[in-house]
């Protein structure tokens, strides 16, 4: 049964009967599998079950995360999907065009509009969305009745688990042309209004939807940070005469600072990715002028217009810049003494 | 004796605040009221739209006409819309498809993720560091929509439900959360099992997994919600309208205002309110999530933190 425990000798197992814990360590247990002394073959035999366990996930990641990277060569091709039914065969037979696709992308005003929309949306979300979970967390943290806390958290978490399709449908029922708001306005003699199709306010609509869906979920990390603050600090501050607000300013907020900084940095790293599904679902209603972001630009040109080389070029530009941003953001996180997404 | 004192028979309700430490000042009335107001408004902001959707879906055509659209106050509850939607036809089929994809997909995702997380949780095993690095790296880049699309198409997955499961089957973040939790399980326990002759598979199944029920529940919910909410891959890879899952049918129904196939006639002739049908589909999409997530929610914090800190 225990094929995977090759290096362990029988005699040791015998003596371990009585004190399994101590000897488990002594025989070089799981905690730190010895790597230096044991030969590769032995390690392979010992760990083959573990390797076999990771295999399915590794294969999936290789196939769907790493192999497609090679597919980015279509960005340098005049890719013709009609050469063959199989995309890879088409890829091999499509003519090379060098950086022509990239030149076209950079000269395309629609691309720059998409860049602008993406950045505007990012900043709107940063200013209007980001502070809300922090404020909500502070509020909930100051509620002492456990029942009230639990109930409000349960309600605030809920929309995070709704699909974007549902969230947008709900918004349409509230603010759409036939929605409850228009309905009320008309009943009182005003014109109905349709916020859902107004390009001028579209970016605020998107932000409002994000707030509705995820602000409650965003409080989790902050609440966790707050719950780890020692009550002694508050007591000491109160003894020294600090009032409610001073305690918040000098104890609560400093406790949140590292988390806020980290999330802020990570968000900046993710700046070029704003709500793809959410925006794609509403793109038709307001038109690409207001709704096109980089991701939907790629989708439109590639999937809809079948201009694969062009779309792949735009996607590659976005991907490379994004990677740079994420790496830079992590660097900054490290400089601030935080862990970032990965350890150094 | 003390227990009796602690629990008066008809004392303050369980909504009452716990005793306040002596150093803390009594909250001001205005402060309490303000706090309560903001919290109530936030909760109502989430609850009210759902309430309207649910109530309208349960309303008769007459009530809806009287209200001039959406209904806020329930009156004359009827299940006509649900009966129609679930008596065969497009929405019934889409719901069954969505349920099946969610079940199969979640099972597959969990199996692959748990195995991988356990395999990577034994520090110092062969290649452990490299595999972890390869998984982590994918959190920094994505290959891009177009190459992924071309790959899935080349693999012949178009018009197959595999296209809805395989490309998004695992989330590296979820694997890290599981791994973090597995690594926190008492080493002595695992060692003693090993000495008793248990292999890795047995240890995972009989020791690690039973001890990780909370995090397993959280991750299962995450995966299930992911499959249940997904619509983009279906819109990308499925051409056959009859294969579409519930979310995609909902897009047509609510956004493009198309009546579900088979019900158009009933709506036109006035037997059925089109609005109630739309709302009923929305309720069907939100119900499983709204019912399941509160059960798992007390474990969210722990799960999110293990994932966010380790890695």
């Amino acid at each position: 049964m225990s094929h995977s425990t090759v290096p362990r000798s029988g005699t040791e197992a015998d003596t371990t009967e009585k004190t399994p814990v101590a000897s488990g360590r002594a025989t070089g247990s799981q905690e730190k599998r010895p790597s230096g002394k044991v030969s590769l073959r032995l390690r392979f035999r010992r760990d083959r079950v573990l390797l076999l366990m990771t295999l399915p996930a590794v294969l999936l990641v290789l196939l769907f995360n790493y192999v497609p990277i090679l597919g980015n060569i279509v960005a340098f091709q005049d890719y013709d999907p009609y050469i063959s039914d199989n995309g890879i065969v088409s890829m091999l037979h499509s003519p090379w065009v060098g950086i022509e696709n990239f030149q076209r992308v950079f000269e395309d005003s629609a691309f720059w509009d998409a860049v602008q929309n993406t950045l505007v949306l990012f900043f709107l979300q940063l200013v209007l969305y980001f502070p809300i979970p922090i404020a909500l967390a502070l509020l909930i943290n100051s509620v002492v009745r456990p029942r009230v806390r639990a109930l409000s958290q349960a309600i605030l978490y809920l929309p995070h688990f709704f699909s974007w399709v549902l969230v947008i449908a709900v918004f349409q029922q509230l603010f759409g042309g036939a929605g409850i708001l228009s309905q009320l306005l008309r009943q009182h003699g005003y014109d109905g209004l349709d916020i859902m199709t107004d390009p001028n306010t579209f970016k605020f609509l998107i932000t409002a939807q994000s707030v509705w869906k995820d602000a409650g979920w965003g409080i989790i990390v902050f609440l966790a940070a707050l719950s780890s603050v020692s009550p002694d600090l508050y007591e000491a501050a109160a003894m020294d005469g600090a009032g409610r607000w001073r305690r918040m300013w000098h104890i609560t907020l400093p406790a949140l600072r590292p988390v806020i900084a980290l999330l802020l940095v990570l968000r900046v790293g993710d700046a070029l990715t704003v709500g793809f599904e959410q925006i794609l679902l509403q793109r038709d209603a307001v038109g690409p002028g207001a709704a096109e972001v980089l991701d939907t630009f790629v989708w439109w040109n590639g999937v809809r217009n079948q201009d694969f080389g062009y779309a792949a070029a735009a996607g590659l530009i976005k991907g490379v810049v994004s990677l740079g941003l994420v790496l830079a953001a992590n660097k900054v996180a490290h400089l601030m003494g935080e862990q970032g997404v990965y350890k150094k | 004796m003390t227990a009796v004192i602690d629990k008066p028979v008809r004392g303050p309700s369980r909504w009452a605040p716990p005793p306040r430490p002596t150093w803390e000042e009594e909250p001001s009335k205005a402060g309490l009221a303000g706090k309560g107001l903001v919290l109530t408004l936030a909760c109502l902001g989430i609850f009210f739209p759902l309430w309207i959707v649910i109530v309208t879906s349960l309303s008769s055509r007459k009530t809806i006409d009287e209200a001039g659209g959406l209904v806020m106050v329930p009156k004359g509850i009827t299940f006509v819309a649900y009966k129609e939607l679930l008596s065969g036809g497009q929405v019934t089929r889409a719901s069954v498809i969505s349920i099946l994809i969610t079940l199969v997909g979640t099972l597959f995702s969990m199996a692959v993720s748990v195995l991988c997380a356990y395999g990577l949780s034994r520090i110092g095993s062969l290649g452990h560091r490299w595999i972890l690095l390869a998984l982590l790296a994918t959190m920094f880049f994505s290959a891009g929509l177009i190459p992924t699309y071309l790959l899935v198409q080349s693999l012949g997955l178009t018009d197959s439900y595999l296209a809805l499961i395989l490309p998004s089957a695992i989330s590296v973040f979820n694997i890290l959360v599981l791994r973090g939790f597995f690594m926190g399980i008492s080493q002595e326990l695992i060692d003693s099992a090993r000495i008793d002759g248990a292999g890795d598979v047995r240890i995972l199944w009989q020791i690690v997994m039973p001890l990780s029920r909370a995090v397993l529940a959280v991750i299962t919910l995450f995966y299930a919600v992911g499959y249940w909410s997904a619509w983009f891959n279906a819109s990308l890879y499925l051409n056959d309208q009859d294969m579409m899952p519930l979310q995609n049918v909902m897009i047509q129904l609510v956004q493009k205002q198309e009546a579900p196939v088979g019900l158009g006639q009933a709506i036109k002739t006035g037997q059925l309110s089109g609005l109630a049908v739309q709302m009923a589909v929305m309720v069907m999409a939100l119900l499983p999530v709204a019912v399941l997530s509160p059960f798992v929610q007390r474990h969210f914090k722990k799960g999110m933190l293990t994932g966010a800190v380790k890695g």
Side-chain angles (χ1 to χ4, degrees):
Chain A
M1 207 175 335
S2 57
H3 304 297
S4 60
T5 56
V6 176
R8 275 168 215 144
S9 66
T11 48
E12 268 169 328
D14 292 338
T15 53
T16 56
E17 289 282 342
K18 280 171 194 162
T19 53
V21 173
S23 63
R25 288 248 169 80
T27 47
S29 73
Q30 301 274 305
E31 197 132 284
K32 271 263 185 276
R33 294 206 173 209
S35 52
K37 303 251 170 67
V38 190
S39 78
L40 201 65
R41 249 187 70 186
L42 270 179
R43 288 177 70 200
F44 183 77
R45 265 192 77 185
R46 181 193 64 188
D47 294 337
R48 64 188 167 176
V49 180
L50 293 178
L51 286 171
L52 217 57
M53 284 175 164
T54 55
L55 194 62
V58 169
L59 286 180
L60 278 174
V61 166
L62 272 184
L63 186 57
F64 291 106
N65 292 75
Y66 282 93
V67 171
I69 296 176
L70 300 174
N72 272 310
I73 59 167
V74 297
F76 302 94
Q77 289 182 330
D78 182 15
Y79 179 81
D80 182 358
Y82 302 108
I83 292 178
S84 151
D85 284 341
N86 190 310
I88 293 176
V89 177
S90 302
M91 224 178 272
L92 294 176
H93 290 91
S94 290
W96 296 92
V97 294
I99 56 163
E100 194 185 284
N101 286 323
F102 292 90
Q103 283 170 340
R104 266 175 68 210
V105 170
F106 283 126
E107 285 161 13
D108 188 347
S109 67
F111 173 76
W112 293 109
D113 287 346
V115 170
Q116 192 193 335
N117 281 335
T118 309
L119 292 179
V120 170
L121 262 171
F122 163 68
F123 281 111
L124 270 183
Q125 302 232 346
L126 204 59
V127 176
L128 297 180
Y129 172 94
F130 193 77
I132 293 181
I134 303 174
L136 272 177
L138 287 174
L139 182 67
I140 287 194
N141 193 54
S142 74
V143 172
V144 284
R145 296 165 201 242
R147 280 291 174 104
V148 177
R149 275 179 84 119
L151 186 70
S152 47
Q153 278 183 52
I155 294 177
L156 290 174
Y157 287 165
L158 200 55
H160 172 74
F161 297 101
F162 295 159
S163 67
W164 272 117
V165 183
L166 185 68
V167 172
I168 289 161
V170 166
F171 265 73
Q172 196 156 3
Q173 300 313 324
L174 291 179
F175 304 118
I180 203 116
L181 187 64
S182 291
Q183 198 179 308
L184 281 176
L185 284 174
R186 272 194 296 266
Q187 276 168 9
H188 293 88
Y190 298 98
D191 284 340
L193 80 172
D194 190 356
I195 297 171
M196 297 299 285
T197 55
D198 187 349
N200 296 319
T201 54
F202 180 72
K203 294 191 179 68
F204 293 97
L205 177 74
I206 291 287
T207 311
Q209 288 166 350
S210 303
V211 170
W212 192 79
K213 189 177 193 283
D214 276 330
W217 183 251
I219 65 180
I220 286 190
V221 184
F222 298 112
L223 280 179
L226 287 175
S227 69
S228 64
V229 182
S230 158
D232 295 349
L233 286 175
Y234 288 107
E235 185 170 356
M239 292 302 170
D240 290 346
R244 194 171 287 284
W245 292 102
R246 280 194 84 87
R247 291 204 299 270
M248 173 157 140
W249 184 253
H250 290 294
I251 298 171
T252 311
L253 283 180
L256 285 185
R257 204 172 57 185
V259 188
I260 295 175
L262 178 63
L263 289 184
L264 201 60
V265 163
L266 295 182
R267 208 168 173 91
V268 171
D270 221 13
L272 295 188
T273 307
V274 275
F276 173 53
E277 290 196 6
Q278 178 192 8
I279 295 168
L280 188 55
L281 280 168
Q282 301 177 85
R283 188 181 178 280
D284 292 345
V286 286
E292 198 86 289
V293 288
L294 283 171
D295 284 332
T296 56
F297 181 83
V298 172
W299 174 85
W300 177 259
N301 285 293
V303 178
R304 271 302 178 80
N305 287 350
Q306 302 273 304
D307 197 347
F308 288 103
Y310 186 62
L316 193 55
I317 294 169
K318 188 222 149 188
V320 171
V321 176
S322 277
L323 180 63
L325 280 176
V326 177
L327 291 176
N330 250 287
K331 189 82 193 163
V332 175
H334 285 160
L335 289 178
M336 294 189 318
E338 299 292 339
Q339 212 167 48
V341 176
Y342 63 94
K343 255 190 224 147
K344 225 185 295 198
Chain B
M1 280 311 273
T2 48
V4 178
I5 295 166
D6 283 349
K7 275 189 191 167
V9 185
R10 299 202 60 189
S13 75
R14 281 186 285 178
W15 296 86
R20 196 170 284 278
T22 43
W23 51 267
E24 200 173 311
E25 52 279 72
E26 279 296 312
S28 70
K29 284 261 154 46
L32 264 184
K35 244 192 265 177
L37 188 71
V38 174
L39 214 51
T40 312
L41 281 181
C43 289
L44 274 185
I46 287 165
F47 191 71
F48 179 66
L50 304 181
W51 169 255
I52 292 181
V53 167
I54 294 170
V55 169
T56 308
S57 78
L58 293 171
S59 294
S60 65
R61 189 179 171 90
K62 204 172 125 236
T63 325
I64 292 175
D65 285 345
E66 274 169 16
L70 295 154
V71 185
M72 278 184 257
V73 189
K75 206 172 69 183
I77 296 293
T78 159
F79 289 90
V80 181
Y82 292 93
K83 234 176 258 166
E84 286 294 330
L85 284 178
L86 291 176
S87 59
Q90 194 186 15
V91 175
T92 317
R93 188 174 49 230
S95 309
V96 173
I97 290 169
S98 274
I99 292 171
L100 286 179
I101 289 176
T102 305
L103 285 179
V104 175
T106 307
L107 211 64
F108 178 70
S109 291
M110 280 309 282
V112 174
S113 305
V114 167
L115 284 175
C116 177
Y118 178 79
L120 293 178
S121 70
R122 307 293 100 198
I123 289 187
S125 66
L126 181 63
H128 145 273
R129 200 183 289 269
W130 291 104
I131 297 173
L132 196 61
L133 211 63
L135 294 188
L136 271 176
T138 62
M139 293 175 89
F140 289 87
F141 64 86
S142 83
L145 173 63
I146 301 303
T148 310
Y149 174 81
L150 293 177
L151 173 76
V152 172
Q153 190 216 28
S154 305
L155 293 173
L157 297 179
T158 316
D159 277 323
S160 136
Y161 286 128
L162 283 179
L164 309 191
I165 294 180
L166 289 181
S168 50
I170 54 169
S171 130
V172 172
F173 178 80
N174 288 350
I175 291 181
L176 292 181
V177 173
L178 286 170
R179 172 174 178 266
F181 204 91
F182 290 171
M183 283 167 66
I185 287 174
S186 151
Q187 195 57 45
E188 286 78 8
L189 207 60
I190 293 175
D191 286 341
S192 67
R194 191 173 296 284
I195 287 152
D196 288 344
D200 279 311
V201 177
R202 206 184 162 103
I203 289 175
L204 172 62
W205 186 251
Q206 293 194 333
I207 294 176
V208 171
M209 282 180 66
L211 284 175
S212 314
R213 283 208 193 101
V215 76
L216 289 176
V218 173
I219 303 298
T220 306
L221 181 79
F222 284 179
Y223 276 130
V225 167
Y227 282 111
W228 182 255
S229 305
W231 60 274
F232 182 63
N233 279 351
S235 80
L236 210 52
Y237 301 125
L238 302 185
N239 296 309
D240 187 352
Q241 284 303 312
D242 289 345
M243 288 177 76
M244 289 294 176
L246 189 61
Q247 303 286 343
N248 297 69
V249 172
M250 188 156 72
I251 295 175
Q252 289 168 1
L253 216 70
V254 183
Q255 289 225 280
K256 301 185 178 149
Q257 303 284 336
E258 290 164 11
V261 180
L263 289 182
Q265 200 55 35
I267 292 171
K268 259 184 210 142
T269 55
Q271 296 163 310
L272 201 62
S273 164
L275 200 58
V277 170
Q278 284 179 24
M279 298 303 115
V281 174
M282 284 166 68
V283 173
M284 283 161 63
L286 76 83
L287 206 62
V289 192
V291 169
L292 284 182
S293 64
F295 286 106
V296 188
Q297 77 143 303
R298 64 202 163 95
H299 303 303
F300 286 160
K301 208 197 263 178
K302 201 168 187 182
M304 295 296 289
L305 283 186
T306 345
V309 175
K310 296 262 168 61

